[in-house]
Amino acid sequence: MKALAIHGKEDIRWEDREVPTPGDGEVRLRVNYVGICGSDLHYYFHGANGEYTIREPLTPGHELSGVVDLDPSGRLAPGTPVTVHPARYGPEVPGLEDRPHLRPGGDYFGSAAANPHRQGGASELLIVEDHMVRVLPASLPLERAALAEPLAVAIHAVNLAGDITGKRVLVIGAGPIGLLVVAAAVKAGASVVGASDVREEPLDRAKALGATEVSLVGRDTIENESYDAVFECSGVGVALTQAVRAGRRAGTIVQVGMLPNADIGVNLAPMLAKELTIRGAFRFSTEIDDAVTLLAESDALDSVISHVLPASDAVQAFELARDSSASAKVLLSL
């Protein structure tokens, strides 16, 4: 079988691997699609994602769909369409019973946080623990199902803002996660969803998903105190400053984009007089089940997938995925 492996900065290879054999409590999947995420881009272009540096060949990918290849327990028949919850949680911690994704000591597909690394899903055959498997409804195509993980991230972020029914919402950064946050906010009943970005093409995609107010950075002005909830999805410090300015008094800011692991310039002074709440959003817990349900309901989110390339063309796919003018979500087909 074949699998992708990142060996270091701008060094990714389509390699031969031995066919893995599932053990007790495990299932072997035949992977069809893997989405390229921001963390995958960092691993490929920089050899590291924040403080996590590649120390051995790393197979990327935590957004995936495929079919069951072999379930030794016999519970899942070969060919059953599935996606995967890519997290394993750490030991239980008092106070985090409802948020197991925050417990330390867990891991995630396609991550160099641990050593040895937790290998990801960009592999023709993949072994997963059976509790990670989510069987897909018959109405959900495998290509669209590859959005389940990033959509779960978006739904989790929107949930953290509380009830946004009838409220004005702003999404800063209309990349793939930002687009899915736009869709999740519309689904959650926001009366107005705005989007801002440094490029026009992502804003056009946001409008197609329900954003009715768009702002091009450097051209348009976002009025101070104009939104009840703001989702910062770009991971840029200056954007968090903009979020604090745009938030209304007693409003909520949800930081979704991964900020750099460094001291950065952010002006938080307005948050005091406004009594703003700023919340971090980290992955998700059970929201992948909500994401699967939402994806099965309609094809509205198909437009988030802009390109599908063979995994053997990974270099081209990664170059395309980092160009937000040319692409939204790029999938690898295996």
Side-chain angles (χ1 to χ4, degrees):
M1 73 164 200
K2 291 279 192 177
L4 283 176
I6 301 173
H7 287 251
K9 180 180 178 181
E10 297 188 20
D11 181 3
I12 190 167
R13 308 174 194 177
W14 185 229
E15 299 180 337
D16 291 316
R17 298 280 176 85
E18 292 186 4
V19 173
T21 301
D24 291 340
E26 294 181 331
V27 178
R28 187 170 69 201
L29 307 181
R30 184 166 295 279
V31 179
N32 287 62
Y33 298 100
V34 173
I36 297 177
C37 175
S39 61
D40 301 323
L41 294 176
H42 283 296
Y43 282 129
Y44 173 63
F45 286 107
H46 308 295
N49 180 35
E51 60 184 311
Y52 306 132
T53 301
I54 289 179
R55 288 158 286 179
E56 63 178 358
L58 173 69
T59 296
H62 50 259
E63 309 172 0
L64 63 104
S65 62
V67 298
V68 172
D69 184 66
L70 176 62
D71 179 1
S73 74
R75 182 176 67 91
L76 297 173
T80 301
V82 298
T83 188
V84 170
H85 192 311
R88 294 188 299 191
Y89 302 136
E92 291 186 8
V93 175
L96 295 180
E97 289 83 4
D98 295 332
R99 290 185 280 182
H101 59 294
L102 299 184
R103 300 193 312 228
D107 59 24
Y108 214 72
F109 276 160
S111 172
N115 196 21
H117 300 337
R118 176 63 161 154
Q119 300 300 322
S123 176
E124 289 180 326
L125 295 172
L126 177 68
I127 301 292
V128 301
E129 295 171 20
D130 56 9
H131 64 85
M132 306 172 84
V133 174
R134 300 293 189 274
V135 175
L136 302 177
S139 60
L140 179 52
L142 286 176
E143 183 174 308
R144 190 190 311 154
L147 294 175
E149 193 274 350
L151 180 57
V153 171
I155 293 172
H156 179 68
V158 169
N159 288 342
L160 287 173
D163 185 3
I164 61 170
T165 304
K167 294 186 177 180
R168 289 176 51 83
V169 166
L170 174 65
V171 179
I172 299 178
I177 287 294
L179 293 175
L180 292 170
V181 171
V182 167
V186 171
K187 179 70 174 177
S191 62
V192 172
V193 177
S196 72
D197 201 278
V198 297
R199 301 177 187 273
E200 292 188 359
E201 295 86 353
L203 294 178
D204 291 337
R205 300 181 193 117
K207 286 190 288 186
L209 292 171
T212 54
E213 297 179 355
V214 296
S215 302
L216 183 65
V217 175
R219 183 194 69 186
D220 303 318
T221 299
I222 298 174
E223 296 297 327
N224 292 347
E225 302 189 29
S226 54
Y227 290 94
D228 301 293
V230 183
F231 299 90
E232 200 300 289
C233 299
S234 72
V236 178
V238 67
L240 179 54
T241 296
Q242 175 66 77
V244 170
R245 290 174 179 158
R248 284 182 172 166
R249 293 168 188 262
T252 301
I253 313 297
V254 181
Q255 182 62 43
V256 187
M258 293 296 291
L259 293 166
N261 184 34
D263 295 332
I264 57 176
V266 177
N267 183 2
L268 298 180
M271 70 175 286
L272 279 73
K274 296 182 183 181
E275 292 193 358
L276 289 173
T277 298
I278 300 182
R279 302 197 63 170
F282 184 68
R283 297 176 182 163
F284 56 89
S285 177
T286 61
E287 288 88 350
I288 195 165
D289 301 313
D290 301 322
V292 168
T293 298
L294 181 57
L295 289 167
E297 287 177 354
S298 79
D299 61 1
L301 294 180
D302 283 356
S303 62
V304 175
I305 301 171
S306 60
H307 298 81
V308 181
L309 282 77
S312 55
D313 293 338
V315 171
Q316 178 187 353
F318 274 71
E319 291 284 355
L320 185 61
R322 76 167 174 176
D323 183 353
S324 62
S325 293
S327 71
K329 175 60 68 176
V330 176
L331 301 184
L332 300 170
S333 60
L334 292 97

